[in-house]
Amino acid sequence: MSEREVLELLRENARYSTADIARMTDLEENEVEATIEELEAAGVVRGYQAVVDWDKLEDERVRAEVELNVRLDRETGYADIAERLARFPEVKALRLVSGDYDFDMEVEADSIREVSQFVSEKVAPVPEITQTVTHYVMTSYKENGIELGDGDEDDRLSFSP
Amino acid sequence: MTIELSDRVKAVPPSGIRRFFEIAEERDDVISLGVGEPDFSTPWAARDAAIASLEQGKTSYTANRGMRELREAIADYAADRFDLGYDPAEEIIVTAGASEAVDLAFRAFVDPGDAVAIAQPSYISYEPGVIFAGGEVLSVPTREEDEFRLTVDALEEAGAGDAEMLVLCYPNNPTGAIMREEDLEPIAEFAREHDLTVLSDEIYAELTYDGEHTSIATLEGMRERTIVFNGFSKAHAMTGLRLGYALGPADAIAAMNRIHQYAMLSAPTTAQHAALEALDSCENDVGEMVDQYDRRRQFVLSRFREIGMDVFEAKGAFYCFPEVPDGFTAEEFAEGVLREEGVAVVPGDVFGAGGEGHLRISYATGLGDLREALARIEAFVADHA
């Protein structure tokens, strides 16, 4: 149970200090440290990243969701295609999904041109890929469970009974 | 010409919080731990139900006592959660917030000159409510060494046996204290012995972090002399919708309804639809909010100990009640930390006897703000050590 609690807190804010997590879970600090180390060693925690609202930056950052359809043959499975695609640094997320298409791929680059080039020159030529549909992200309202934008101002009274 | 005020209004001074509110308004970087309301929004299912009711034009009065289906849902909820069995037809009244229900009870049961014993520190509206009803307040202080639980000794010391009524608020605002069944038994016995009516404000019942909440009305011989108050403001984060209720014997609820039907007619209809949905489908939302409060509670308690301020182990509501360091009164500390560090807290003496020397800290605020606020309090304590 403590593993789960620690994970929930890290997902809420990976920068919580071990002391803060210990306070919130009623564990000892060294227990929290050990739990996090175990979770990292077991590959449960795979990394820590910032959740960024790119719209707030002057620098353009373009993201797209790309739908991919593939045709499998006797020698090639989904995992083989995924392995090949996941190696590209432009690919930020890659998931096999059910429904009208096979892979759901998140791509990130500095311009629309770069994303287009990447999809047409690196992804589409993969022999098993039969179709790509690119959706450019226009505005992001929520990332990794965190709502973006200006957020709600706390307009409660400073004091109340 | 000035309009002459009634003696009852003149007898109630302006709220002790008011002055702090004015200081807080002078700065724009204040983190407030002075707020007695959830920082969560009302669960969407309840909001959707309110919106749908408006879209369907359900904007007329309801029955004075509240929508029948809501009273039925409240009866089921009270029975399932707290073992309280009440007839929705005659023993439940839906009000504009639990505060209205408390006010109705004072007006329905207090005669001029009646003494009303209030276990303090407690929610700041009971005392004025008694005075507005023409009664006299009898403070029964609770102490930190008793974990802010009410004891028979305290009742006897205050002469509460001669009172008509006893007001309880557990889990408690402002201390966060709770009363377990074994703590309530002797109080119930005292109430039976001295024929006291008990007003039990259980608005924080869901926010009990250690074990289950027990209502004094479930104890032997107490149902017929107790009015239980509850509402949707705290656990369901519906403060602005103003919806509460009272459970009690039929004749007492009828008496309260006699005032309510003239003063309020009926509780807000939109809010009643939201509340019905809240009881129907928001149990998980309540559970998640309670988990968050519990986490914050542990954080805040642990930080106060680290800062070196004595703090009582609060087990309910969303408040904790640390002691101010030597050399300060509660008011001096609260004013100092607000002016110098921009942290708003409420001095404990605002909540009546037994609150002196303490601060009410509300942790109905996000962890980020709590962490920053406690760092500022730590700096303030270090500066004045």
Side-chain angles (χ1 to χ4, degrees), chain A residues 20 23 26 156 158-161, chain B residues 32 36-37 173 302 306 360:
Chain A
D20 283 355
R23 287 188 194 102
D26 219 11
R156 296 180 296 168
S158 305
F159 294 90
S160 63
Chain B
S32 182
E37 71 173 304
N173 171 10
S302 151
E306 210 169 71
R360 187 189 75 172

Side-chain angles (χ1 to χ4, degrees), chain B residues 357-376:
Chain B
H358 290 83
L359 304 169
R360 187 189 75 172
I361 303 290
S362 160
Y363 50 85
T365 288
L367 261 172
D369 276 352
L370 282 176
R371 184 206 285 213
E372 171 65 21
L374 282 152
R376 294 188 193 180

Side-chain angles (χ1 to χ4, degrees), chain B residues 26 48 106 113-114 135 138 221 252-253 307 319 331 340 355 358 385:
Chain B
E26 290 165 13
D48 278 339
F106 287 139
D114 279 355
L138 183 70
I253 295 296
I307 291 168
Y319 309 106
E331 192 170 331
E340 290 179 32
H358 290 83

Side-chain angles (χ1 to χ4, degrees), chain B residues 153-166:
Chain B
D153 284 351
L155 285 168
E156 279 170 351
E157 224 166 272
D162 296 331
E164 301 293 322
M165 194 175 285
L166 170 64

Side-chain angles (χ1 to χ4, degrees), chain B residues 320-344:
Chain B
C320 76
F321 209 56
E323 246 177 77
V324 295
D326 289 342
F328 285 102
T329 64
E331 192 170 331
E332 284 165 358
F333 190 95
E335 187 169 341
V337 81
L338 178 56
R339 283 193 193 281
E340 290 179 32
E341 299 288 344
V343 179

Side-chain angles (χ1 to χ4, degrees), chain A residues 71-154:
Chain A
R71 188 189 302 117
L72 301 179
D73 57 40
R74 219 175 273 175
E75 282 81 36
T76 321
Y78 287 122
D80 301 310
I81 302 166
E83 196 185 4
R84 181 161 177 189
L85 294 171
R87 271 183 301 164
F88 293 115
E90 291 88 344
V91 175
K92 297 301 171 192
L94 181 67
R95 304 175 187 100
L96 182 66
V97 294
S98 63
D100 293 339
Y101 52 95
D102 299 309
F103 285 103
D104 175 28
M105 184 168 79
E106 281 178 38
V107 176
E108 206 174 286
D110 283 337
S111 64
I112 289 182
R113 198 165 154 268
E114 269 185 35
V115 172
S116 306
Q117 260 181 347
F118 169 70
V119 174
S120 60
E121 291 173 13
K122 301 279 177 56
V123 179
V126 172
E128 292 82 6
I129 290 178
T130 57
Q131 192 187 23
T132 69
V133 179
T134 305
H135 305 271
Y136 288 99
V137 174
M138 297 166 75
T139 305
S140 188
Y141 298 102
K142 190 172 184 179
E143 292 287 342
N144 292 45
I146 293 176
E147 284 186 52
L148 307 181
D150 292 330
D152 290 334
E153 285 295 305
D154 187 348

Side-chain angles (χ1 to χ4, degrees), chain B residues 140-220:
Chain B
V140 185
T142 61
R143 291 181 299 256
E144 183 154 9
E145 54 264 39
D146 300 322
E147 298 181 344
F148 290 109
R149 290 172 297 190
L150 177 63
T151 62
V152 170
D153 284 351
L155 285 168
E156 279 170 351
E157 224 166 272
D162 296 331
E164 301 293 322
M165 194 175 285
L166 170 64
V167 182
L168 301 176
C169 173
Y170 292 97
N172 182 264
N173 171 10
T175 62
I178 59 170
M179 295 270 279
R180 298 194 187 283
E181 190 172 343
E182 60 268 30
D183 305 319
L184 288 167
E185 286 286 4
I187 305 302
E189 198 183 323
F190 184 91
R192 289 192 299 267
E193 209 175 293
H194 296 278
D195 197 21
L196 297 180
T197 298
V198 176
L199 303 189
S200 184
D201 185 347
E202 301 176 22
I203 187 95
Y204 294 101
E206 287 278 7
L207 307 182
T208 302
Y209 307 107
D210 186 9
E212 288 290 309
H213 170 75
T214 300
S215 172
I216 192 166
T218 60
L219 304 186
E220 198 193 332

